Amino acid sequence: MCESRFLISALIIQNETLANCCHELERLRRRRNAQRFAICMQISFTILSNKKHSHIPAIKIGTNKIKYTQHLKYLGLHFDPKLNWGFHLNTIQDKLNSLQQKLYRITRATWGLNPTVKKDIYNKVINRIIHYGHEIWYQGRVKQDIKLNQLQRSGLLNITKCYKTVSTDALQVLAGVPPIDIQTKHTHKMFQIKNQYKEIQTQGLAFHPGSITFLKPILPPWNKTSFHWSHYKDNLQGTLIYTDGSKMNNRVGGAFVAYKNNVETYHQCFRLNDQATVYMAELTAIDKAIDYSIAESLPSSNIITDSRSVLLALENVNCIDHKILELKNKLNNFTGEIHLFWIKAHIGHLGNERADVLAKTATNQANIDFNNKFGLQSIKKLINNDIMKEWQDRWRQSHNGRGVFVLFQNVNTKKVQGDFFLIQIISDHGTIAAYQARLFKKTPSCVCGHSFEEHLRLPGMGRHKKRVFPFQPQHRATTC
């Protein structure tokens, strides 16, 4: 009988479970002797405790002693006795410093990779290295947030090519990268609701696991369908059903109204849960219009909506939204004819305006008629909006980077500044006279006699101002 090898990579022991651990290891040794498998002894253990241990107990498997270590690496995470994860973040910092040195070989201040390319490297490599295992180690402490911004700073300096004296708040705006502590805090919410099944708060709304659809249905190719739509025409025959959705005062409503020979024959209003979006209201209105056509056994009906997004989703064969799939099944099983049309909103058309009024009226109803479930993508979008809002508030209230704030008051993830010479003018940090005067008490004027504000009004700066500055600054602060 050949021997198999059994590997224990690490032992993480809480102080109160030490005796149980020794008992289990002894049981493992007996099992090894009975079943004849070998144990690789290149393992170590640590003890999780807030107290300092003057005596480290000996832990053995048979006669082999297991090595004690204060910091233990397991699955890429570095555990320390107090579980404050400071050693783990310091290890990541050393790793990132080594990575940055390699990036410096292919990019410098005046040559190398495009700033957009470096930003992609940051988002897809550095950001993921920092975020790895955040579900375990992130605790929302102030020290952790400060350390995370320190880890992010080196990558931002490489993207923007700024001087090292530029504040981190300004670097984040110039690079178009949200603060990593805000990203980690809000990304942690996805883990809480997806894996821990906890209720989360985002944008003032509460989401619990029961209100979210987690699984994505996988459709075989032969079950994928597409429903085409057309632009509205005035000479439509049959029953005309207009649908609309509305959101007012954080309350969502929808409605549809049916016309026959230009006479209103039926209408229905309904209110959705407050977390719903206008898209969901439009989708539900079309769903109820289809139900009405089925219930009345209409031979031919025309559903007219001003929501092109819903129509495009119905036309897309790869859409896996569970509500869209339900609509497609209803349309497939209906024996009559249902035609879909898009009409431009608020152009004075009687049916569309009537549906709009009914949808707004539905938001005032006391009772909620439908509780729609959310997909993970919808939750991610709301969380991303929270990240941008908190970043904007921090940037507006910060005391750092006020010179950059004059030119860039709104945060934006789609823009990046990386011109070495232009970034000195934007940030007020560099070889410009104003910066030299602030640090070395030199004259703030240029050799040509112009001040910084006068340089911004020179004819040669015109094309740079149009490309970089969102608006013409009336006054430029002289502090960083």
Side-chain angles (χ1 to χ4, degrees), residues 219-285:
L219 293 178
W222 54 87
N223 284 345
K224 294 182 178 181
T225 56
S226 174
F227 290 90
H228 299 284
W229 53 276
S230 306
H231 289 264
Y232 173 76
K233 296 176 290 187
D234 290 330
N235 56 349
L236 295 177
Q237 302 296 323
T239 303
L240 306 182
I241 306 176
Y242 296 88
T243 67
D244 203 357
S246 179
K247 186 167 188 176
M248 298 178 62
N249 301 322
N250 290 327
R251 305 180 79 173
V252 185
F256 73 88
V257 55
Y259 284 86
K260 182 70 174 180
N261 298 326
N262 294 327
V263 178
E264 181 178 333
T265 58
Y266 182 79
H267 72 265
Q268 182 180 351
C269 304
F270 47 86
R271 182 185 164 196
L272 284 73
N273 50 317
D274 296 339
Q275 295 89 344
T277 60
V278 176
Y279 172 83
M280 293 181 179
E282 299 272 9
L283 188 59
T284 306

Side-chain angles (χ1 to χ4, degrees), residues 7-11 39-45 61 66-67:
L7 174 64
I8 303 176
S9 59
L11 288 176
I39 299 178
C40 178
M41 295 307 301
Q42 295 179 356
I43 61 177
S44 56
F45 77 96
I61 300 181
I66 300 178
K67 179 183 176 182

Side-chain angles (χ1 to χ4, degrees), residues 192-328:
Q192 289 179 323
I193 195 168
K194 185 177 179 181
N195 298 87
Q196 297 181 335
Y197 298 100
K198 293 182 179 179
E199 183 177 301
I200 63 172
Q201 296 279 341
T202 177
Q203 291 197 346
L205 303 175
F207 295 92
H208 56 87
S211 64
I212 297 177
T213 304
F214 292 99
L215 298 178
K216 293 184 177 181
I218 301 177
L219 293 178
W222 54 87
N223 284 345
K224 294 182 178 181
T225 56
S226 174
F227 290 90
H228 299 284
W229 53 276
S230 306
H231 289 264
Y232 173 76
K233 296 176 290 187
D234 290 330
N235 56 349
L236 295 177
Q237 302 296 323
T239 303
L240 306 182
I241 306 176
Y242 296 88
T243 67
D244 203 357
S246 179
K247 186 167 188 176
M248 298 178 62
N249 301 322
N250 290 327
R251 305 180 79 173
V252 185
F256 73 88
V257 55
Y259 284 86
K260 182 70 174 180
N261 298 326
N262 294 327
V263 178
E264 181 178 333
T265 58
Y266 182 79
H267 72 265
Q268 182 180 351
C269 304
F270 47 86
R271 182 185 164 196
L272 284 73
N273 50 317
D274 296 339
Q275 295 89 344
T277 60
V278 176
Y279 172 83
M280 293 181 179
E282 299 272 9
L283 188 59
T284 306
I286 295 177
D287 184 20
K288 295 305 163 185
I290 295 174
D291 290 342
Y292 171 75
S293 300
I294 296 174
E296 297 295 325
S297 300
L298 299 177
S300 177
S301 59
N302 304 288
I303 297 178
I304 305 165
T305 178
D306 57 10
S307 176
R308 183 176 291 189
S309 56
V310 176
L311 296 176
L312 291 174
L314 288 170
E315 190 177 27
N316 184 7
V317 295
N318 295 318
C319 183
I320 56 176
D321 185 351
H322 67 284
K323 288 292 293 183
I324 293 294
L325 295 178
E326 290 178 6
L327 286 185
K328 288 183 177 181

Side-chain angles (χ1 to χ4, degrees), residues 428 430-439 442-446 452 477-478:
D428 264 354
T431 57
I432 57 178
Y435 178 72
Q436 299 291 324
R438 193 160 64 245
L439 291 185
K442 295 183 179 181
T443 174
S445 299
C446 181
F452 177 79
T478 58

Side-chain angles (χ1 to χ4, degrees), residues 163-203:
Y163 273 57
K164 292 183 179 180
T165 50
V166 178
S167 65
T168 304
D169 292 343
L171 286 174
Q172 291 162 348
V173 174
L174 293 173
V177 177
I180 195 166
D181 60 312
I182 297 178
Q183 291 184 57
T184 307
K185 179 177 69 174
H186 289 283
T187 307
H188 194 68
K189 293 180 180 179
M190 284 299 299
F191 171 75
Q192 289 179 323
I193 195 168
K194 185 177 179 181
N195 298 87
Q196 297 181 335
Y197 298 100
K198 293 182 179 179
E199 183 177 301
I200 63 172
Q201 296 279 341
T202 177
Q203 291 197 346

